[in-house]
Amino acid sequence: MTGPRFATLAVRGSYNHEAAAHNLGSLGEPAYLATAQHFDSAETMRATAAGEREGWVYARRGNPTVGHLEDTVAALEGYQVDAEVSAAVTTTGMAAITLATTPFLSTAVGAKPNIVASPACYGSTVMVFDKRYGDERGVSVRWVDDPLSVDGWERHIDEDTRFLYAESPSNPMVQLVDIPALAELARWAEIPLIIDATLATPALMRPLGLGADIVVHSLTKAAGASGRSMGGAVIARHGLQFRGQPAEMTTNFAGYLRSGPMRDMGSVLSPFNAWTLLADIRELRARVDSMSTSALRVAEYLANRSDVVEVFYPGLPSHRTHHLAKRDMWLVDSGGPGRDAVNRFGFLLGFRPAGGVPAAHRVMDRLDLFWRANNLGQVKSTVTIPAIGTHQQIGGDEPVPSDMVRLSVGLEHTDDLIEDLDQALTRRDVAGRRSTGPSEAMPEIAVDRVE
């Protein structure tokens, strides 16, 4: 037999027949809703706390249910990657981003650290980099003018650069970066390449296999598509080689986070949330396949409408990073004897209706099936306007279009979603005229940072 394939790993994780035998035969991972472990003796406590024997001691250091989720996430992100991989799960996706980046900013390595990043990032990521790191800690944040220009990245790197960071695809413009090219640049500079791959999920793209060193995810999104729990994950290959960084950090980065920063700062996922996320992640491949297939149909439908100015979706040939999506985004295990691998481009897209900001607001308000919410990757389709929602607080030089409507396509029937969009775009007002033109009652909204 070959090793377990992706879908099998998602269903089974690290919970096997032997583990079930120790849990009264339970088919699923038990939820250990406890904050601490009992020990049969002082010596057992000492040895476990010292890491000399198996055990979890205290929930801030670990928990069996949380451990099963970490094993499963590592197996999925490390699938078909020629490296040993470990994961640490966190309370939120933003906690994962903070934990993945903060250790590299130590002043023990140098007094004036800087980071080089794509400006096409989620709004809260920009806030962490600009405000928490830049304004509060004096870290120089160097935003790359064009994330597709490798030369542009290289020009910002010097001996004080601590890491390269990008989202691929990004939220909300769904732009990719050339991960193999940036990985080569990071190796040359002896610094990590950190990729937020939340929108792809490991079902469509695994950046560690493309050369990235560390991957972060918001498990709140497609991995936890029921919408019951928040969570994040940091996944890293073992044996990383970075200049100036201690071996205790680079040998097993995720393990270092669990035993040090997470233990000390307390950003540990609750066992109940880990338990619900384990239930959701089992169907990740099939769910992302279905959602992505629907999203492509929705994007093609919108692109063919005369009352839609622009559509943002990497599956469309018109998208700026379509060539990268065609190269890097594949439904895992879709190829095999007698069948070709298939591209899938994710569940998120955006569009600009004719009529500017007033039209964007009207379309959003008229949608019946889409839920107006600032979340994505759920089984329920959601809609937001990033300029007034996810990216309202961001300042900078490159704007998210203020009239952009962002859609996250869920598991409803695709025809129903398209019909909902059709009625929202074409509904007539009481005077019998189509209401897609500007309205003086709706002011233009100024927002300044890409995504």
Side-chain angles (χ1 to χ4, degrees), residues 76-408:
L76 298 183
E77 195 62 49
Y79 183 63
Q80 297 179 336
V81 175
D82 186 20
E84 191 173 358
V85 172
S86 293
V89 295
T90 63
T91 50
T92 65
M94 287 311 304
I97 290 169
T98 304
L99 277 163
T101 55
T102 302
F104 296 104
L105 302 178
S106 170
T107 55
V109 180
K112 297 182 179 180
N114 70 73
I115 60 180
V116 181
S118 165
C121 284
Y122 175 54
S124 292
T125 305
V126 176
M127 293 295 287
V128 167
F129 288 1
D130 273 347
K131 304 299 181 185
R132 308 288 84 82
Y133 293 169
D135 293 351
E136 296 177 3
R137 299 181 58 175
V139 175
S140 174
V141 183
R142 301 174 177 181
W143 299 105
V144 178
D145 292 333
D146 180 3
L148 292 186
S149 170
V150 178
D151 289 341
W153 287 82
E154 184 176 358
R155 282 194 296 271
H156 286 297
I157 298 173
D158 61 27
E159 65 274 10
D160 291 318
T161 301
R162 301 301 176 80
F163 59 80
L164 308 182
Y165 184 95
E167 283 184 22
S168 192
S170 62
N171 173 23
M173 308 293 279
V174 284
Q175 296 186 76
L176 285 80
V177 296
D178 191 337
I179 294 175
L182 293 184
E184 184 177 347
L185 183 61
R187 284 193 296 272
W188 164 78
E190 297 181 291
I191 56 177
L193 171 62
I194 304 172
I195 297 292
D196 182 340
T198 296
L199 294 188
T201 81
L204 302 186
M205 183 175 71
R206 293 168 300 287
L208 296 180
L210 297 173
D213 301 295
I214 300 167
V215 176
V216 295
H217 284 284
S218 171
L219 300 179
T220 313
K221 309 304 190 293
S226 68
R228 294 187 180 95
S229 296
M230 301 187 78
V234 181
I235 310 98
R237 57 175 74 239
H238 291 196
L240 299 172
Q241 300 292 323
F242 305 138
R243 54 177 165 81
Q245 302 295 349
E248 66 170 335
M249 188 168 81
T250 57
T251 300
N252 177 355
F253 183 67
Y256 163 80
L257 292 179
R258 288 195 301 270
S259 63
M262 291 179 66
R263 176 200 65 198
D264 299 337
M265 295 187 284
S267 55
V268 178
L269 186 67
S270 78
F272 180 80
N273 283 5
W275 186 62
T276 63
L277 289 168
L278 277 165
D280 282 341
I281 208 169
R282 300 192 204 284
E283 301 171 351
L284 180 65
R285 181 188 183 278
R287 188 168 61 241
V288 171
D289 181 19
S290 178
M291 292 159 63
S292 300
T293 301
S294 289
L296 177 60
R297 278 194 58 202
V298 169
E300 290 173 338
Y301 159 78
L302 291 169
N304 287 323
R305 290 191 65 109
S306 61
D307 53 3
V308 171
V309 175
E310 189 174 9
V311 179
F312 306 89
Y313 188 66
L316 298 178
S318 59
H319 192 272
R320 186 171 183 240
T321 60
H322 177 68
H323 64 293
L324 294 177
K326 285 281 289 183
R327 186 192 70 185
D328 295 342
M329 298 185 73
W330 300 89
L331 179 64
V332 63
D333 291 335
S334 58
R339 64 184 190 275
D340 294 330
V342 295
N343 285 117
R344 290 289 183 264
F345 303 106
F347 47 81
L348 197 76
L349 65 135
F351 70 99
R352 298 171 54 223
V357 171
H361 283 245
R362 280 195 299 271
V363 168
M364 178 173 166
D365 288 346
R366 289 171 176 171
L367 288 168
D368 293 326
L369 284 180
F370 286 85
W371 297 76
R372 287 174 285 277
N374 286 322
N375 198 9
L376 55 88
Q378 306 292 282
V379 295
K380 295 183 177 182
S381 294
T382 59
V383 57
T384 189
I385 297 173
I388 63 170
T390 58
H391 291 68
Q392 184 181 118
Q393 79 274 35
I394 304 305
D397 300 324
E398 299 183 9
V400 174
S402 55
D403 59 349
M404 177 187 183
V405 179
R406 189 191 77 182
L407 303 177
S408 177

Side-chain angles (χ1 to χ4, degrees), residues 3-22:
R5 293 170 177 82
F6 186 92
T8 303
L9 290 172
V11 170
R12 186 165 183 169
S14 62
Y15 190 77
N16 55 23
H17 295 176
E18 183 180 358
H22 290 288

